[in-house]
Amino acid sequence: MARRSAVGRGRDTAVVEETAAPAALAASADPWDAPAPERRRGRSGGSGGGSRGGGRWGGSGGRWWVWVGRAVLWALILVILVNGIRAPFERFTADDGDSAGTGATAKPEKGAGFPSSAAGAFALQFANVYLNYDQKNAPGREAQLRTFLPDGADAQFGWNGVGTLQVQSVQVAGVDARDAHNGTVTVLARTADKWLRLSVPVYAANGGALVVSGRPALLPPPTKAALPQGGVQDRDTALENELQPFLGTFFQAYASGDQAALSRFSDGTPIAGLAGSVSYVQVKEVVAAKGAADERTVTATVGWQLPGGAGAGGGGELDQAYELTVVKKGTTWYVRDIRGTTEPNAS
């Protein structure tokens, strides 16, 4: 309760006013609603008008800060809620990524840990014994097979001991690893008149030990593919005629491997040459497609004579195809690159 002097109101007038601020503060449920400071009354003003005006002015300023505080509080709550929802989701997706990728929880690839190189070499040696037999030397074959077969296996491993078979060459064509211990090795073998494709099952024990785990299986040999139609459709015959003598001189130096001569043809990249392993015969054909004037990719068919054989001329001749990148500087052609060609219709 506050007491106020009655000066200016009359001699017999004593007014006692109780401030409403404590009651208003107690009635407010909002912690942001602080009581507005009371405006100083004028010397002759009444308590009603000045008090109400002061209350309105102070309340509006305080209320503005209340709304700012509420906005900041709600923004903070939203950030906390969003992070709380997002964090478990990110952990879940990260776990899925590890299980599908190369992390610690990733599922190992099929055949991981199988010694493919060692199994291939092992099966190659086995096939050289298995595919060569002669009834005159059956005990020798049996002794060699023991190195590859499990204990207690058939000594001849399926051969009835009759007839002969001889293969000229055996090559590993592929390894199919089923798991860390089991796989099949496919080998290609050539007899006098046919190809054989043999699948050899191999078991790999811990420590690197290997054994042929079962009977091999003959599979169909590789088939011959048909080449697609290709070739240069729009040939630059003028360029082909221009390059014919140039490439003839170049391939003579290429056959001998003469570095001084080859350097005069090079566009800057060293060209090694064949070091006299063949003798140059002729450039039989040059094929060039129409294109840019100063840089072309052309195909040249070259006849080589290999050393050896009967007669003064040495051995036989082989025609081989090369792909060259040639560039023109002024009026002179140079070789930038030489390689084998993949052109199906190269002569």
Side-chain angles (χ1 to χ4, degrees), residues 103-192:
T105 59
K107 183 179 179 180
E109 295 182 2
K110 172 188 172 184
F114 185 78
S116 296
S117 297
F122 184 79
L124 178 66
Q125 297 298 319
F126 163 78
N128 273 300
V129 177
Y130 178 80
L131 294 176
N132 286 285
Y133 55 77
D134 188 338
Q135 61 186 15
K136 297 178 182 179
N137 192 27
R141 179 178 183 271
E142 177 182 335
Q144 293 181 60
L145 281 176
R146 289 196 191 102
T147 307
F148 305 96
L149 304 182
D151 295 339
D154 175 17
Q156 292 295 344
F157 215 43
W159 178 46
N160 65 356
V162 178
T164 61
L165 177 66
Q166 185 176 7
V167 294
Q168 298 172 342
S169 64
V170 181
Q171 303 290 333
V172 175
V175 178
D176 179 17
R178 307 296 175 85
D179 53 44
H181 298 287
N182 297 280
T184 57
V185 180
T186 301
V187 297
L188 292 177
R190 179 67 181 175
T191 65

Side-chain angles (χ1 to χ4, degrees), residues 48 50 72 96 122 130 160 169 188 200 228 256 267 288 290 292 314:
V72 173
D96 285 348
F122 184 79
Y130 178 80
N160 65 356
S169 64
L188 292 177
V200 182
S256 66
D267 183 43
K290 290 184 177 180

Side-chain angles (χ1 to χ4, degrees), residues 46-91:
S47 63
S51 177
R52 285 193 299 271
R56 286 194 298 271
W57 179 85
S60 62
R63 182 67 62 179
W64 184 85
W65 284 107
V66 167
W67 286 111
V68 171
R70 286 176 175 174
V72 173
L73 179 61
W74 278 111
L76 180 62
I77 293 173
L78 287 174
V79 170
I80 295 172
L81 287 175
V82 169
N83 288 337
I85 295 173
R86 185 179 62 182
F89 179 76
E90 288 179 346
R91 287 196 298 269

